[in-house]
C-alpha cells in the first residue's frame, strides 16, 4: 500500500518510528515479539546468576553480582516499557511467558554449576548479547533504540566484570580453579554461539526484520564477529575453546569454527533443555505466590483513592 | 584504647557487620523470585547496600582487631558461634510479607542506631554511620510504606502481615538488650546504650502499625543469644552456602 | 587390570556410590517431617541402607584408585563436577509423593543392576551387590507398594503421583545410557551394559503404574549429564551442607 | 473404695497391672499423660538431631545418627502402642500435641548448633532420659514397663555413641573442636538437669505417682544420680561443667551443685523456649502436609476391601 511504501521510505532514510505513528501490523507484531522476548530474557536471566549470589566467594564479588542482577531486572523494566508503547501491557506479556506462548533466550536454560560459570556468563553470554544489542541501538523503532542505548552501557560493564572473574581464576588461581573455568567454557561455548540464532539461511524472520531495520546485522555476521573477538580473549586466559575445527582463516580475515548443534538448539527452544522446567516453575511460582501482594497494593491504592474522594466531597 | 575496650569494639563492630551480612544474605535469596519486577530491583538494591555496609563494618573490625583478618576473612572463615548478629536477621524469609516485616522492624532499629552513631566518639564509626544512614533511610521509607499498604490492603494481605508481625515480634527485643560489650562501647562514647534506642523505635513502630491497621503484640517473651553467638538452627545452613567456596578451595583467588 | 580399566572401574564405582550417597541425603532430609511415624522409620531405614552401601562402593573405589582416598575422602572432598550420580537422585524432594516416586523409579533400576552385578567378574563387586540387593529388594517392595496405593487412592493422591511421574520421567533415561566407562566395565565382565537393564525395568514400571492407574509418559526427551559430572543446580547446595564440617575444619577428628 | 484398696495392694505387692484390668481413673489419666508425653518427646526429639543428619561429618557418623533417629521414631511407636492399651488412639494423642494441650520434653526446645551438640545430646540428654527410664522398667503398668525395657536397651547404646563423639572431638580433635564441645556443654548442662523435673517439693504429681509406682524415684534423687555419674565423665573429656558451685560433698557421698533456673524451665514449658515455635510448626506442617498421603492410603484400603467383597460375592 501507499502507507507501507511511505513507511519503508522513512526507514530507509534512517528515520526513527515513534509510538503514536502509523506502522504496519507485521512491524508492530515483530517488535512486540522481539522486545518481549528480550524483556523476558532479562528477568529469567536473573535466575542462573541469582543461583550463586548466596555463594559468591568474596563480599566484593557478591556486591558486583547483586548489582548485575539488579541491572538485569532494570533492563527488563525498560524493555517492558518499550513494549508497552506498542500497546501491550507488561502483565499481558508475562502471561504469554507463563503459559509458554512467548520465549526467552534459550541460554538461560543452561545451569550455572560452578563459580567460573558466573564469570563465563558475563564474558560469553553478555558478550554475545552486547554484540546483538550494539546493532540494535540503531534499530528503527525509537523507544527500542533508546532502551538499547541505555542497556548497552551497562552490559559492557557486566562483560568486563565477568572476564575479570576469569582473569583472577585462570591467571592467579589454583589448578582447581582453572579447571572450573575450562569446565565452564566447555559447557557455555556452543550455547553462546546459539544466542545469535540459526544460520541466516534457516532463519524465518530475518529478511523482513532487516528490511524494517528491526535487525541490522545477520545472525551469521554477528556470530563471526563474536568468535573473532572471543578467541584471543580465551587464549589470554589460557582456556581451550572446545572446537577442533577452530582455525584462523587468513583469506576471510576471521576464524573458521564449528556450527553449534542446531538440533539441541531447537530442542531447548521447545522446552527440552536442562533447566527449562525449573526456570518456568520458578517464574510462575514467584508470580502466583505474589498474587496476594499485588492484590494488597491494588486494594490499598483504591482505598486511598476513595478516602481522598470522600475528603474532597466533605470539603466541598 | 585498652585491650578490653579494643576487644569490646571488635565485638560490637562484628555485631553491626554481621547484622548487615546475614540480612543481606536473606534478602538476596529472593533474587528473581519476588512478586513483581520492581521488588526484584528493590530487594537486590537493599541487599547490595547491606553487603556494602558489611564491608565497611567488618573491615573496621579487622583493623581494630589487628590480627590480619580483613572483612572477607571475618565473613567467610568464622563459624556460627563466632557470628554476632541478632536472631531477627537470620529468621527464614517465609512469604514476602514476612520478609518485608522483618525488614521494617530491622530498618526502624537500624535507622535509630545509625543516627546515634553519627555522633560517635570514634570518627571511623561516625563516618560509616553517615554513609549507611543515607541508604537505610531509603530502606526504612520503603519498608514502612509497604507494611502500611499491605496491612491496610486486602483481608488476605492484612492477615499475612499480622501473622508476620506476631511471628517476628519475639525477635525484636534483642535489639535493645545491652551487655558488657554494649556498656564498654557506650562508656567510651562510641555507640549508644541499646536501650536508649527503644523509645524512638517503639514510637515509629506503633505509628506505622496503626496506619497499617495492625496490632502490636503485647506478649513479653523475647528471644536472645545472637549477640553472644548463640543462634538459631538457621544460621549454620546460611553459612554452609555462604562460605562453601572459601572453605572448599583454600588458597583460591577470586 | 590396565590403567584404563582401573580408571573406568573407579569412575563406575563412584557412580554406584554417589547414587547411594545423594539419594540417601535427599531421603534423610525428611527425617522427622514425614506424614506418619511409620514413614519416618522407613525413610530413616532407607537412608541408612543407602549410606551403608555408599561406604562399600566408595570404599572399593578408593581401593581401586590406590591414591589413598577412602570413602569419606571421596564423599566429603569432591566438588559437584567430580560427582557421578545420575540426575534423578539429586532432584528435590518435592512433596512426599514425589519422593516416593523417585524412590520407586530408582529402586526398580537399582534392583535390576544389583541382580546383574551378583554375577560380576569382580568378586568384590559381586559381594557388595549381594549384600545391597537384600536391602534394595525391601526398598523396592515398599516403594512399589506405596506408589500403587497412592496412585489408586483418592483423586488427590492420584493427581500428585501422576504429576510426580511426569516430572521425574525425563530423569530416568540416564539410568540406561551407556558411555565409554560403561563399555569398559561391561567388556571386563564387571557390570552389565546399562541398556540391558532397560527391558526389565520398563516391564516392572509398566506393571506397577498399571496397577497404580497411572499413565507412563511417552515424551521422548531425557536429561543426562550426571554420570559425566554435569549436574543440576541442586547438587551444589546438597554438597554445601553435606561437606561443611569437613571443609570448615581441616584436620578435625570426628 | 474397696476396689481402690485392692488395686493399691496389688501395686504394693509388686504386681503388674494389665490393660483389661480395673484401674482408678486417676491412674489411667496419669499414665496416659506420662506415656503420651514420652511418646511425643520421642518424635519431636527427631528434629534437633535430624537437623545435623545432612551435615554429619563422616559417613559412619551419618549412619549412626540415622540409626539413632530411626530408633527414636520406633520408641515413639512402642509408646503410642502402650498408650493405646489405655484407650486413647495415636491420632487423638497427636491432636493434643498439635493443639498444644499435651507437652513433650522441654529439652527439645533447645537448638542443636554445632556437631558437638549431637554428642552432647547423646551423652547428657539420653543419659538423663535413661536415668529416668531405667526406673520406669519397674513401673506398675505392664505395657509401659515392657516398652521401657526395650527402649532402655537402645538408649544406653545411644548414650555411648554420643559420648564417643565427644571423646573423639575432645581427646583427638583440634582446639576448635574442643571449643565446640565446651560450648555444647555450656548450653546443655542446665537444660539436662531440668529433664528430671522440678524439685520434689514443687512437683505436683509426684507423691501420687510414686504411690502408684508410675514413678519409682523422686526427681531430686534422679538428678543427684545423674550429676554424680556425669561429673567424672566430663572430667575425663576435659570439659568444664558451667557451675561454680559444683563440689564433691564427702558427707553425702555425692556432688553439691546449682539448681537450674526454674523460671526458665517454666517459661520453656509454657512455650517460650528457643525453638518451641519451630518444633511445633515442623510437626504440625508435617501432619497437615501429609493428610493427602494418609487419606490416599485409607481410600486405597477401602477400595481393596470393596473389591475383595465383590469378588467373594461373585464367587458365591
Amino acid at each position: 500500500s501507499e502507507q507501507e511504501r511511505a513507511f519503508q521510505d522513512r526507514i530507509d532514510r534512517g528515520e526513527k518510528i515513534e509510538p503514536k505513528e502509523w506502522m504496519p501490523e507485521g512491524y508492530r507484531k515483530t517488535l512486540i515479539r522481539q522486545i518481549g522476548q528480550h524483556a523476558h530474557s532479562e528477568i529469567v536471566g536473573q535466575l542462573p546468576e541469582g543461583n550463586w549470589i548466596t555463594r559468591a566467594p568474596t563480599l566484593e564479588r557478591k556486591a558486583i553480582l547483586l548489582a548485575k542482577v539488579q541491572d538485569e531486572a532494570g533492563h527488563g523494566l525498560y524493555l517492558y516499557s518499550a513494549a508497552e508503547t506498542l500497546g501491550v501491557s507488561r502483565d499481558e506479556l508475562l502471561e504469554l511467558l507463563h503459559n509458554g506462548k512467548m520465549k526467552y533466550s534459550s541460554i538461560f536454560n543452561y545451569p550455572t554449576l560452578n563459580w567460573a560459570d558466573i564469570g563465563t556468563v558475563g564474558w560469553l553470554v553478555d558478550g554475545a548479547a552486547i554484540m546483538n544489542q550494539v546493532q540494535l541501538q540503531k534499530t528503527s523503532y525509537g523507544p527500542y533504540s533508546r532502551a538499547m542505548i541505555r542497556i548497552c552501557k551497562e552490559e559492557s560493564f557486566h562483560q568486563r566484570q565477568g572476564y575479570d572473574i576469569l582473569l583472577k581464576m585462570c591467571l592467579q588461581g589454583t589448578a582447581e580453579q582453572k579447571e572450573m573455568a575450562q569446565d565452564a567454557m566447555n559447557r557455555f561455548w556452543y550455547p553462546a554461539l546459539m544466542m545469535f540464532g540459526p544460520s541466516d539461511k534457516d532463519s524465518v524472520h530475518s529478511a523482513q526484520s532487516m528490511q524494517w531495520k528491526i535487525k541490522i546485522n545477520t545472525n551469521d555476521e554477528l556470530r563471526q564477529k563474536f568468535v573473532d573477538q572471543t578467541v584471543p580473549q580465551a587464549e589470554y586466559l589460557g582456556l581451550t575453546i572446545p572446537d577442533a575445527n577452530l582455525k584462523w582463516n587468513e583469506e576471510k580475515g576471521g576464524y573458521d569454527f564449528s556450527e553449534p548443534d542446531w538440533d539441541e538448539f531447537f530442542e531447548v527452544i521447545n522446552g527440552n533443555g536442562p533447566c527449562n522446567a525449573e526456570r518456568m516453575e520458578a517464574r510462575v511460582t514467584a508470580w502466583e505466590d505474589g498474587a496476594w501482594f499485588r492484590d494488597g497494593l491494588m486494594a490499598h491504592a483504591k482505598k486511598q483513592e476513595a478516602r481522598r474522594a470522600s475528603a474532597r466531597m466533605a470539603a466541598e | 584504647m585498652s585491650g578490653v575496650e579494643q576487644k569490646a569494639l571488635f565485638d560490637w563492630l562484628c555485631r553491626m557487620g554481621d547484622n548487615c551480612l546475614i540480612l543481606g544474605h536473606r534478602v538476596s535469596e529472593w533474587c528473581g523470585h519476588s512478586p513483581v519486577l520492581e521488588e526484584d530491583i528493590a530487594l537486590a538494591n537493599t541487599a547490595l547496600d547491606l553487603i556494602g555496609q558489611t564491608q565497611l563494618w567488618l573491615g573496621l573490625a579487622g583493623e581494630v582487631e589487628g590480627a590480619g583478618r580483613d572483612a572477607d576473612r571475618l565473613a567467610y572463615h568464622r563459624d556460627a558461634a563466632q557470628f554476632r548478629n541478632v536472631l531477627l536477621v537470620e529468621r527464614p524469609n517465609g512469604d514476602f510479607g514476612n520478609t518485608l516485616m522483618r525488614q521494617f522492624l530491622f530498618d526502624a532499629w537500624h535507622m535509630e542506631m545509625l543516627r546515634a552513631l553519627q555522633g560517635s566518639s570514634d570518627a571511623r564509626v561516625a563516618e560509616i554511620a553517615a554513609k549507611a544512614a543515607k541508604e537505610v533511610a531509603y530502606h526504612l521509607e520503603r519498608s514502612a510504606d509497604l507494611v502500611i499498604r499491605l496491612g491496610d490492603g486486602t483481608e488476605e494481605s492484612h492477615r499475612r502481615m499480622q501473622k508476620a508481625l506476631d511471628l517476628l515480634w519475639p525477635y525484636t527485643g534483642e535489639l535493645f538488650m545491652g551487655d558488657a560489650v554494649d556498656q564498654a562501647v557506650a562508656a567510651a562514647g562510641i555507640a549508644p546504650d541499646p536501650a536508649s534506642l527503644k523509645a524512638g523505635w517503639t514510637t515509629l513502630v506503633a505509628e506505622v502499625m496503626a496506619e497499617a491497621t495492625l496490632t502490636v503484640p503485647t506478649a513479653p517473651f523475647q528471644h536472645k543469644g545472637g549477640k553472644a553467638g548463640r543462634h538459631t538452627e538457621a544460621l549454620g545452613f546460611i553459612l554452609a552456602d555462604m562460605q562453601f567456596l572459601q572453605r572448599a578451595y583454600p588458597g583460591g583467588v577470586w
Side-chain angles (χ1 to χ4, degrees), chain A, chain B:
Chain A
S1 76
E2 180 76 20
Q3 252 180 333
E4 278 169 2
R5 226 175 3 255
F7 178 82
Q8 188 62 51
D9 286 346
R10 292 187 58 197
I11 301 244
D12 293 343
R13 283 196 301 275
E15 288 180 29
K16 293 285 183 240
I17 309 300
E18 295 301 330
K20 305 258 155 122
E21 298 171 349
W22 185 87
M23 60 187 79
E25 208 38 44
Y27 180 84
R28 182 190 303 275
K29 278 202 183 142
T30 303
L31 270 173
I32 288 176
R33 199 190 60 237
Q34 188 169 322
I35 301 174
Q37 277 188 20
H38 190 164
H40 297 332
S41 300
E42 297 284 356
I43 62 166
V44 177
Q46 294 179 89
L47 298 171
E49 299 193 290
N51 185 42
W52 281 90
I53 288 179
T54 58
R55 294 178 290 173
T58 68
L59 293 170
E60 195 190 347
R61 290 292 174 203
K62 194 190 287 278
I64 291 171
L65 186 54
L66 276 163
K68 180 176 179 195
V69 175
Q70 186 186 1
D71 283 348
E72 279 157 12
H75 297 174
L77 217 51
Y78 304 161
L79 289 160
Y80 286 120
S81 299
E84 280 179 346
T85 65
L86 293 160
V88 59
S89 74
R90 197 208 299 181
D91 283 6
E92 286 172 282
L93 288 171
L94 287 176
E95 197 183 324
L96 291 167
L97 171 67
H98 296 162
N99 68 21
K101 287 189 184 150
M102 274 186 88
K103 307 288 183 193
Y104 51 89
S105 176
S106 72
I107 191 75
F108 301 120
N109 291 315
Y110 291 86
T112 52
L113 299 179
N114 73 48
W115 176 252
D117 285 17
I118 298 304
T120 306
V121 166
W123 171 39
L124 298 184
V125 175
D126 288 315
I130 293 168
M131 201 64 86
N132 243 319
Q133 288 161 359
V134 162
Q135 54 144 358
L136 289 174
Q137 296 179 89
K138 291 178 278 179
T139 192
S140 62
Y141 187 58
Y144 191 24
S145 159
R146 291 188 289 275
M148 277 303 143
I149 292 168
R150 285 178 79 176
I151 290 174
C152 277
K153 263 188 223 147
E154 295 176 2
E155 290 286 5
S156 66
F157 203 57
H158 296 166
Q159 194 198 9
R160 253 175 303 153
Q161 288 166 338
Y163 194 66
D164 186 57
I165 287 177
L166 294 172
L167 280 173
K168 278 269 167 51
M169 291 180 75
C170 293
L171 302 188
Q172 298 169 239
T174 63
E176 278 174 317
Q177 289 185 292
K178 200 168 163 191
E179 251 175 65
M180 277 190 213
Q182 183 63 54
D183 179 45
M185 164 62 95
N186 295 346
R187 285 180 285 108
F188 276 101
W189 175 252
Y190 287 108
L193 294 189
M194 292 178 195
M195 286 177 70
F196 300 97
S199 184
D200 302 325
K201 57 187 188 305
D202 306 316
S203 185
V204 207
H205 305 290
S206 277
Q208 177 64 77
S209 286
M210 291 190 70
Q211 197 189 355
W212 277 333
K213 294 193 187 160
I214 290 176
K215 275 176 79 158
I216 309 296
N217 294 106
T218 71
N219 296 349
D220 287 333
E221 281 167 12
L222 292 169
R223 189 164 19 244
Q224 180 69 53
K225 228 173 135 182
F226 174 76
V227 171
D228 293 344
Q229 167 187 300
T230 305
V231 171
Q233 294 170 342
E235 280 169 0
Y236 187 74
L237 294 172
L239 294 178
T240 306
I241 289 173
D243 179 359
N245 299 319
L246 186 82
K247 196 168 82 231
W248 179 255
N249 180 330
E250 194 60 50
E251 199 174 333
K252 79 173 178 188
Y255 286 89
D256 290 335
F257 58 94
S258 301
E259 288 284 302
D261 176 351
W262 291 112
D263 290 341
E264 177 179 321
F265 176 76
F266 288 109
E267 276 276 312
V268 176
I269 287 270
N270 288 320
N272 294 330
C275 301
N276 299 54
E278 274 103 326
R279 299 294 185 240
M280 282 306 292
E281 202 208 337
R283 290 306 312 165
V284 170
T285 303
W287 188 249
E288 289 176 353
D289 287 356
W292 73 270
F293 172 84
R294 297 187 302 274
D295 293 346
L297 295 189
M298 191 79 80
H300 181 81
K302 281 189 190 149
K303 280 185 195 177
Q304 287 294 76
E305 182 49 41
R307 281 174 201 144
R308 275 192 294 270
S310 68
R312 271 196 306 275
M313 290 224 298
E316 275 162 16
Chain B
M1 208 170 356
S2 74
V4 177
E5 260 175 37
Q6 187 183 336
K7 178 73 180 68
L9 180 54
F10 171 75
D11 276 354
W12 180 84
L13 288 164
C14 285
R15 290 177 183 179
M16 293 301 291
D18 292 345
N19 281 339
C20 294
L21 177 56
I22 301 300
L23 184 58
H25 182 100
R26 279 294 191 215
V27 171
S28 78
E29 290 174 355
W30 276 101
C31 176
H33 301 274
S34 91
V36 67
L37 194 45
E38 285 79 358
E39 291 303 315
D40 276 334
I41 297 173
L43 290 179
N45 186 58
T46 302
L48 181 55
D49 288 345
L50 289 169
I51 298 305
Q53 295 169 23
T54 304
Q55 290 177 291
L56 298 174
W57 292 122
L58 292 186
L60 180 53
E63 258 178 53
V64 166
E65 187 189 39
R69 295 200 283 185
D70 61 10
D72 279 335
R73 189 79 203 168
L74 289 169
Y76 288 94
H77 289 271
R78 284 176 300 154
D79 199 352
Q82 284 83 50
F83 268 72
R84 293 290 177 264
N85 58 283
V86 294
L87 303 179
L88 176 66
V89 298
E90 69 196 46
R91 298 308 298 155
N93 284 338
D95 70 10
F96 200 66
N98 194 71
T99 293
L100 286 173
M101 185 59 80
R102 183 186 61 200
Q103 188 71 40
F104 169 68
L105 295 169
F106 181 80
D107 289 345
W109 169 84
H110 206 188
M111 196 68 239
E112 290 288 329
M113 178 57 117
L114 293 172
R115 247 186 232 126
L117 289 178
Q118 292 175 63
S120 172
S121 63
D122 186 318
R124 300 166 301 181
V125 169
E127 194 185 332
I128 295 173
K131 183 181 177 313
K134 290 195 195 86
E135 297 167 348
V136 170
Y138 175 70
H139 300 176
L140 176 58
E141 193 186 312
R142 195 184 148 271
S143 62
D145 179 57
L146 282 168
V147 164
I148 290 169
R149 288 155 72 192
L150 293 167
D152 184 25
T154 60
E155 261 181 54
E156 169 75 2
S157 71
H158 179 87
R159 188 188 63 75
R160 285 178 183 254
M161 297 312 283
Q162 185 66 54
K163 187 178 165 202
L165 179 57
D166 294 345
L167 274 175
L168 293 166
W169 189 255
Y171 292 94
T172 57
E174 194 186 4
L175 293 165
F176 309 104
M177 293 176 196
D179 62 7
V181 168
D182 291 307
Q183 279 166 19
V185 290
I190 296 170
D193 173 358
S196 71
L197 306 173
K198 189 160 188 181
W201 182 86
T202 305
T203 305
L204 176 62
V205 169
E207 278 171 19
V208 167
M209 294 310 157
E211 209 181 332
T213 72
L214 296 172
T215 308
V216 176
T218 53
F221 173 66
Q222 292 290 334
H223 291 279
K224 62 171 189 278
K227 288 169 70 170
R230 284 190 314 280
H231 291 275
T232 69
E233 289 174 354
L235 186 61
F237 291 96
I238 291 177
L239 299 183
D241 286 345
M242 183 193 290
Q243 301 178 339
F244 180 77
L245 287 172
Q246 285 283 352
R247 302 285 200 181
Y249 296 96
V253 182
W254 310 99

